[in-house]
Structure formats: C-alpha cells, structure tokens
Amino acid sequence: MNAIDQVNPPDYALWPTMRRLLRLWREQWRLVALGLACAVAYATISLTIPILIARAIDHAIVRHNRPLWEYVVPILALAVVRLAINFTRRYATARVGVRIEARMRELLYGAYLRFPRAFYDRHPTGQVVSRATNDLYPIRYFIGWGMVQGAQSLMMIVGAGIVLTIVNPLLALYTAASMPAIGLVAWLFAHKVMPISRQVQERKGDVTEAADESVVGIEMVQAFGREEDVRGRFADKATGVRDTVLRQAGVEAKHLPGLFFLPTLSVAIVVYFGGRRVIHGSLSYGEFALFIQLLLQLVWPLEALGWITNLGQRALASAGRSFAWLEHVATLPEPAESRRLPDGPLEVRFEDVRFRYLSGGEVLRGVDLVAAPGEIVAVCGPTGSGKTSLLNLPTGGRVSLGGVDVRDVPIAELRQAVAIVTQRPILFSVPLRDNLTAARPDAPWDEVLAACEAAGVAAFAEELPKGYDTLIGERGVNLSGGQRQRVALARALVAGARVIVLDDPLSAVDTLTERNLVERLRPALAGRTVLVATQRLSTIELADRAVVLDDGRILESGPPAQLILGTGPFAALFGDEVRAA
C-alpha cells in the first residue's frame, strides 16, 4: 500500500465519506429522530387520505351508503395535521443541516490551527478557505434536508406499492414497470456526476485563490499596472468553473429529465389499463381514483430521489475533500511523555540543525549554536544564507530550551515560552489595545504601556483617532510598515515570553528611529534569551554576540564590537558601513 501524503492527501472515496457523514448525522440524533418520526407520520397520512377519498367515492358518492361529511371531515383534519408535521420535519432537518455544517466548519478551522507550516506552503489560501466555505453548503442541504426527505420518499414508494398491491396486484405490477428504468438512470447519473462534482469544488477553490491574491496584493497590482493580467488570470479561473459546471449541467440535462418522465409514464399506464378495468367493471371508481392519486403523489418522491442523488453526489464530493484533510494531514505533534521547561531564563541550543526545501539543496548544513540564558544573539549573513530558516523552519537535528528538547514540550507551554516577531508581522482587525494583548489578554495595562514605550508604539499611538482603542484594519492596513513592526515588538514583550525570536524586526524603521529603539529595547529584553536575524548593523548593536551564517554553516561568532575590528566574514559584511559612518 502506498503511503498517504500527510500534507496533500487524496480525497476520500464514496463509502468512507458516507460513513463519516453518518457519524456526524448521529450526533444530532434527537433532531434526526424527530425528523424521521415526522417523515413516517407524513407518509402514513399521505397514504391514508387517498384511501379515504377512494371510500368516499365508492360509498358516499356512487352508492350513497354513507354521508359524505363522514369522509370529508377526517380528510380535512388529516390535511391540517400533515401541514403541522411537514413544518416540524422541515424545521428539524434544517437545524440538523445547519448544525452539521457548523460542526464541519469548526472541525476544519480547528484543524487549520494545528496544521504545520508545510501544509500552508503546499496549499493556496483560496483552496484552504474554499473547503471551509463553498464545500460545506452541499453538505448542509444533503445531510439536513436530503437524507430525511430521501427516507420519506422511500417510505411513500414502499407504502404506496403495498396499498396498490392489496387493491389490484396485476395493475400494481404494471405501474412498477418503470421502476427498474428509474433505478438504472439514477445509477448512471450518480456514476457520472460524482467526479465532475469534485472538479467543481476544486475550480471554485481556484477562483477563491485568484480573488484572494488580487485583493491581498492590490497595492502591487495597481503600482505596476498589472490589472489586465490579474483580470485575465481571474477570468481563466472563472472560465474553468463555468466549463466544469456546464459539464455537470450537461450530465444533469441527460439524466434528470428521464427521472422526471418515468414516474409520469406509470400514471399513463394506470390510466390505460385501470380505465379498461373500470369500463369492464372489475375495478371500482374509488379504486381507480386511489391508483391515480397515489401515483400522482409518487411523482414528487421519485423526482426528489433524482434531486437527492444529485445533491448527494455534490455533498459527498465536498465532504470527501474535507475528511481527507481532517484525518490524514499530520497536525503538530504533542509529545507522548511531556516534560516541563525549567524556571527562569532559558538556554537555547541548536544541535546539528538542518533544513531542505522540497526542491533544491540543503539550506542549513548541520548548524550548532548556543544562546546562554538571558543572552542576545544576532544571526547575520548574506542574503539566502539561511538566517530565517534557522530561526523558523529547521526540519532536522535538535533544538532544546533549558536542556529540554522542544519536541518533548507541550505545544501550549512552548508557545507560552517563545514569542516570534517576523519581518512582515500580521495584525488582527481589532483595536490596537487587543492586538497588543493578543498573547496575554490579562496583562496589566501598566505593563502594556511600558512595552509600548520600549518598542516605540507610544510615539504614534496617541496620534491615532481613538488612541489605543483605534480599530486596526485587516493585516494592520491602516498602519505603516514600521508601525506594524513596532506593534509586533510590543506584543512580544507583553506576552512575557522567556525566549524571543526576532526576524529582521526593524527592517521597515528608519536608522535614527532604530537606534532609539535599540537603546530602549535592551533593558526591556533583560532576563530573556533573544535570537535576532538581521542584516543591519544598527540592529546588531542590540546583541551581546553575533554569529555569521553563510552557505548553511556558522563561520564566525563573537561580540559585534570585536568582530567588526577583525578581518573575518563579519567585518567583510559591515566594514564598509562602519567606514562610511
């Protein structure tokens, strides 16, 4: 058996998907039971009313043996009860569908938060978003309305078949002549539409991806005049959806009319053969009317089975995509036997750390690095030397905090101990105050203000329209790049983490502001172990020690003031900058 790709697994097949959907369906068993009970009652009443009408025709209208009102009153009463039952069934099944859709979205979103970064490197944002939005609508309608409606339709078909067989077996056999053809058409339709339904969901994800890229990168699109290119790319994706949906519509057009026509054929058969029996006196008027009424009532259940088959194929295609991710994408692993981190400042140790992209050679080639508790270490080197990979993405070797392998530390404790500030920090669309306290909502406000002072947030916060209560737009769009970086720095300080990883944290800040920040940050970082990747000498002044990384290996290490006076790689990187100053 081939191993399943734990980052991009194949979609689930029909029956595994159905089993998992039924498992979710059973979680709503109270509402499901209510819906099925209503379906049984609805089918029973729908079969009873034609029987009463048939008796009214034979006994009250043709023979005058009974008064007509004795049949009319029960018929009206049953019709009112059926109305209430139909409302209750639809209400219950709608709630089942909505709840399961919400449950699926909750499961997917919870899984997204646990998926490794490699997953997001392999999957475009549009596909990820689409599976938690577009893919769930068919599931809601099928598992909510479709499954109970399908059960009710089957009850009606079976119940009507029993009644008709009791009344006139031969005529009932005639009416069943179209049933094998209906089953064959339904099977052919399901067999052909399933793979197309999967493609439709994938194409919709492509459109979401194209739209997301255009919106997120609108500044660059407009700045370089690439509107036509972006419009063309989006049009190609939209055309892909259109063509695939048209293929699906073609399959529906070939098969669904047959599913709708064949039940009417049964009515025509009854009119011909049943009418001949009425003429010859072997079938009463009431029994003939009973056949016609029941067959007319079966037209919708038989048609509904066609619609439900179509909806089911779409839902199963969508659910198969989602369940494949939920069950086969490897989440961030929790340790089997967890260990606690020691108290106080933490030593950070990299041992034989390596990293390789999916395509290409090694970026890190066995790096060994130790940051003592409370030490600030700057990692510098030429572009592409592996600075960011070292601090964010090692895939081989060992990284330990306070002598404990990070793989043995519970993820929640690890995240509490380590704070990260990236080159392009992400801010949330909430007030500035909430962005600052995102990692520690209960932080005392005086600590928050102290962190803002150290990170330079206080210099611009009061100038915002509502100060710290100003709503920050999506991704911090209403702040400059330097302001976003300073908010991210303050957020890391507020978090109270004992290890802080800074990936070129002041790249968007001017040199003068950076020097002022460095002076304030040193006391704010006291007692914390800090790793900072940077290419700016002014930021390196923050560090107690600098290491030079090149070609995936550490070439030099020492205090920045000493290294700049030497003739090694560090001096080669920054010597011209010092001489120019």
Side-chain angles (χ1 to χ4, degrees):
M1 181 182 293
N2 294 330
I4 295 177
D5 188 340
Q6 293 188 328
V7 175
N8 187 22
D11 298 345
Y12 270 0
L14 175 65
W15 290 114
T17 302
M18 178 64 81
R19 287 197 299 270
R20 285 157 179 81
L21 276 180
L22 289 174
R23 194 180 306 150
L24 289 177
W25 199 48
R26 287 196 296 269
E27 290 181 4
Q28 307 296 327
W29 67 270
R30 290 184 177 85
L31 286 173
V32 170
L34 177 60
L36 289 175
C38 289
V40 171
Y42 184 92
T44 302
I45 293 174
S46 296
L47 293 173
T48 303
I49 290 176
I51 294 173
L52 289 175
I53 293 175
R55 294 195 174 187
I57 291 173
D58 285 341
H59 297 289
I61 296 176
V62 176
R63 300 175 190 167
H64 307 291
N65 295 333
R66 305 288 293 272
L68 190 59
W69 65 267
E70 288 188 4
Y71 296 99
V72 172
V73 171
I75 289 171
L76 290 175
L78 287 174
V80 172
V81 172
R82 185 172 64 175
L83 174 67
I85 288 173
N86 195 26
F87 168 81
T88 304
R89 178 186 67 82
R90 289 181 175 274
Y91 178 78
T93 54
R95 288 179 67 87
V96 170
V98 170
R99 286 185 177 184
I100 289 177
E101 179 190 24
R103 177 62 175 154
M104 285 286 293
R105 186 169 286 117
E106 175 187 335
L107 290 172
L108 278 169
Y109 192 73
Y112 288 169
L113 297 178
R114 300 192 306 274
F115 285 168
R117 289 179 59 175
F119 170 85
Y120 296 100
D121 292 337
R122 291 275 296 276
H123 294 279
T125 302
Q127 292 289 348
V128 175
V129 172
S130 182
R131 293 206 190 191
T133 52
N134 295 333
D135 282 17
L136 299 185
Y137 297 133
I139 297 174
R140 181 217 296 179
Y141 291 119
F142 172 65
I143 206 166
W145 172 80
M147 294 186 74
V148 173
Q149 178 63 51
Q152 179 177 296
S153 297
L154 289 174
M155 292 178 205
M156 284 291 299
I157 294 169
V158 173
I162 293 172
V163 172
L164 295 180
T165 301
I166 292 173
V167 173
N168 192 306
L170 184 59
L171 189 57
L173 181 63
Y174 288 154
T175 62
S178 64
M179 296 303 169
I182 292 174
L184 177 61
V185 173
W187 181 84
L188 289 173
F189 173 68
H191 181 71
K192 290 185 177 181
V193 83
M194 180 72 169
I196 301 177
S197 297
R198 292 184 186 275
Q199 293 176 17
V200 168
Q201 299 303 337
E202 292 174 0
R203 299 294 183 271
K204 288 181 178 179
D206 293 339
V207 170
T208 305
E209 173 193 345
D212 178 75
E213 286 181 349
S214 301
V215 172
V216 172
I218 190 63
E219 294 181 18
M220 293 300 101
V221 170
Q222 294 176 341
F224 291 100
R226 309 304 296 175
E227 291 89 347
E228 289 303 319
D229 290 343
V230 170
R231 185 182 292 111
R233 188 158 55 248
F234 182 84
D236 290 341
K237 302 294 186 183
T239 300
V241 174
R242 182 200 65 189
D243 293 345
T244 311
V245 171
L246 286 176
R247 284 176 54 212
Q248 185 179 44
V251 173
E252 293 174 359
K254 290 179 181 178
H255 295 83
L256 290 181
L259 290 176
F260 300 155
F261 165 74
L262 291 172
T264 308
L265 180 63
S266 296
V267 176
I269 292 173
V270 167
V271 171
Y272 178 76
F273 289 102
R276 289 171 60 89
R277 279 167 174 69
V278 172
I279 293 171
H280 292 96
S282 59
L283 190 71
S284 70
Y285 290 105
E287 291 171 338
F288 180 69
L290 176 61
F291 265 84
I292 297 296
Q293 289 178 84
L294 286 180
L295 287 177
L296 289 175
Q297 283 197 124
L298 288 183
V299 170
W300 163 241
L302 289 169
E303 291 180 353
L305 289 179
W307 285 112
I308 292 167
T309 300
N310 182 23
L311 185 59
Q313 296 304 313
R314 296 183 184 184
L316 292 171
S318 300
R321 287 158 49 87
S322 298
F323 285 127
W325 277 7
L326 286 172
E327 298 190 12
H328 285 310
V329 174
T331 58
L332 295 172
E334 289 284 359
E337 297 182 4
S338 60
R339 298 176 58 189
R340 300 298 303 273
L341 294 174
D343 296 331
L346 296 171
E347 174 197 76
V348 179
R349 182 180 293 270
F350 295 86
E351 300 178 56
D352 194 30
V353 167
R354 299 177 178 274
F355 178 76
R356 178 193 296 273
Y357 287 104
L358 291 175
S359 59
E362 280 190 324
V363 177
L364 301 176
R365 305 166 183 270
V367 174
D368 294 307
L369 174 64
V370 178
E375 184 182 21
I376 302 177
V377 177
V379 181
C380 55
T383 301
S385 59
K387 300 185 296 296
T388 298
S389 298
L390 176 65
L391 300 187
N392 290 284
L393 299 171
T395 55
R398 181 175 184 267
V399 180
S400 63
L401 298 180
V404 180
D405 193 315
V406 294
R407 290 169 292 193
D408 296 331
V409 181
I411 292 176
E413 184 178 356
L414 188 62
R415 288 172 174 167
Q416 189 177 22
V418 181
I420 299 176
V421 179
T422 62
Q423 299 178 42
R424 294 181 294 276
I426 299 298
L427 302 184
F428 304 106
S429 187
V430 296
L432 176 58
R433 179 189 304 269
D434 295 333
N435 270 289
L436 292 166
T437 59
R440 189 180 162 208
D442 59 347
W445 188 240
D446 57 344
E447 289 188 26
V448 177
L449 290 178
C452 290
E453 189 66 36
V457 175
F460 66 85
E462 297 299 338
E463 299 175 2
L464 296 175
K466 294 184 180 179
Y468 288 97
D469 292 316
T470 301
L471 181 65
I472 303 301
E474 184 180 4
R475 299 174 183 264
V477 69
N478 53 350
L479 296 179
S480 70
Q483 288 173 337
R484 290 197 290 270
Q485 287 187 335
R486 282 180 274 175
V487 171
L489 272 171
R491 181 169 60 190
L493 294 174
V494 172
R498 292 179 284 164
V499 175
I500 297 182
V501 178
L502 307 175
D503 185 5
D504 215 355
L506 301 174
S507 58
V509 176
D510 64 86
T511 304
L512 179 59
T513 303
E514 182 180 16
R515 291 188 182 278
N516 293 332
L517 285 174
V518 168
E519 292 178 3
R520 291 196 296 266
L521 279 172
R522 279 201 63 89
L525 294 172
R528 312 183 201 220
T529 308
V530 180
L531 294 169
V532 53
T534 183
Q535 194 67 5
R536 301 175 68 168
L537 184 60
S538 49
T539 302
I540 294 175
E541 292 176 359
L542 180 70
D544 301 311
R545 180 162 56 98
V547 297
V548 180
L549 187 67
D550 192 13
D551 196 27
R553 293 185 175 88
I554 292 179
L555 304 181
E556 190 175 26
S557 174
Q562 293 181 10
L563 294 179
I564 199 64
L565 299 176
T567 58
F570 187 89
L573 281 171
F574 302 107
D576 291 342
E577 186 175 342
V578 172
R579 285 189 291 272

